[in-house]
Amino acid sequence: MALTSRVEQILSWYASENPGTLTNLVRLLNHGALAGTGKMVILPVDQGFEHGPVRSFAPNPEAYDPDYHFQLAIDAGCNAYAAPLGSLQAGAARFAGQVPLILKLNNSDTLAKVEQPLSAVTGSVDDALRLGCVGVGYTIYPGSGARNRMYEDLREIALEARRKGLVVIVWSYPRGAGLSKQGETAVDVCAYAATIAAQLGAHVIKVKPPTAHVEQEEARKMYEKFGIPIQTLAERVRHVVQATFNGKRVVIFSGGESKAADAVLEEVREMAAGGSFGSIMGRNAFQRPRAEALKLLADVIHIYRSGR
């Protein structure tokens, strides 16, 4: 399809990228039910690795099968499907060309309890190319004592991905001994995490919806001094988007743990009102029966398309 003015505007923010990377960014933006709008809804299924199979798939046993997730992303009209190496290898050939794929390059598990989290690199840029992916995903944990290792690894991965024409998607999840549990989703910390991902070269940034909590005392003084509005989720999302080069990077927000459909949709409305570029929604989709998941994703897509 021809480029819309909105997609052309977004591409203009990435003018230093090579044609291969820009082409794959267009593939993300021009696929599915939101094609051409500049918005995205991505289905991520790394939870089996991150949280374990029973916690992830017992609510909907069909989801134990990797093929289920490919088909769900296709039928829902998602912009892309993101997963670790094993899941993508299981179905990439069968579903070739039907939905853009993102290979999640690093993962962790819940079996080890550590104060300074560090995900293992479990895939490669060459794996992504072999599987026909449009991009690679990588998680960083700002706040972890191991963050510098992650930043340095991401620099090398992003450099290779760009050289080979792939899009770089960064999951920026503050976590570690330097933060309180409440601080992991604090508005100042989420905005900082989004900025860090942008500075590290992410084309697309994934963060959690920010709360009104402010973790850093020095940041609190600035919010108060300049009257920065952070009371509503829409205001906080707008602030996080502003923190990524004044909105010149694509920022999407995670769906988090499963909750009632009404609560999911209300949160999405607030995020859309705040200028979110979209949602990356896993458990709230694949843990529901298929018909319910398709209905929920259709409603989410409608909100981003219509703004309400």
Side-chain angles (χ1 to χ4, degrees), residues 94-106:
R94 188 174 302 106
F95 297 95
Q98 297 181 55
V99 62
L101 301 177
I102 297 163
L103 175 59
K104 187 69 166 42
L105 290 189
N106 66 336

Side-chain angles (χ1 to χ4, degrees), residues 150-170:
M150 286 178 267
Y151 298 167
E152 290 166 0
D153 286 349
L154 175 57
R155 179 190 178 279
E156 295 304 314
I157 286 169
L159 183 64
E160 182 183 3
R162 279 180 157 81
R163 193 163 57 237
K164 295 178 177 177
L166 296 180
V167 176
V168 178
I169 300 98
V170 173

Side-chain angles (χ1 to χ4, degrees), residues 173 184-187 190 206-212 233 236-237 240 252-256 259 267-268 271 279-280:
Y173 283 0
E184 293 178 2
T185 53
V187 62
C190 284
K206 175 191 176 186
V207 292
K208 295 182 179 182
T211 68
L233 179 56
R236 297 190 294 272
V237 165
V240 171
I252 56 180
F253 293 81
S254 65
K259 44 188 173 282
E267 184 175 75
V268 169
M271 293 191 297
S279 291
I280 181 161

Side-chain angles (χ1 to χ4, degrees), residues 2 8 19 23 31 47 64 142 146 158 174 183 199 210 214 240 254 256 258-259 261 277 303:
E8 287 181 339
T23 295
H31 186 86
Q47 288 83 358
Y64 280 102
Q199 294 290 358
V214 178
V240 171
S254 65
S258 292
K259 44 188 173 282
F277 287 76
I303 290 169

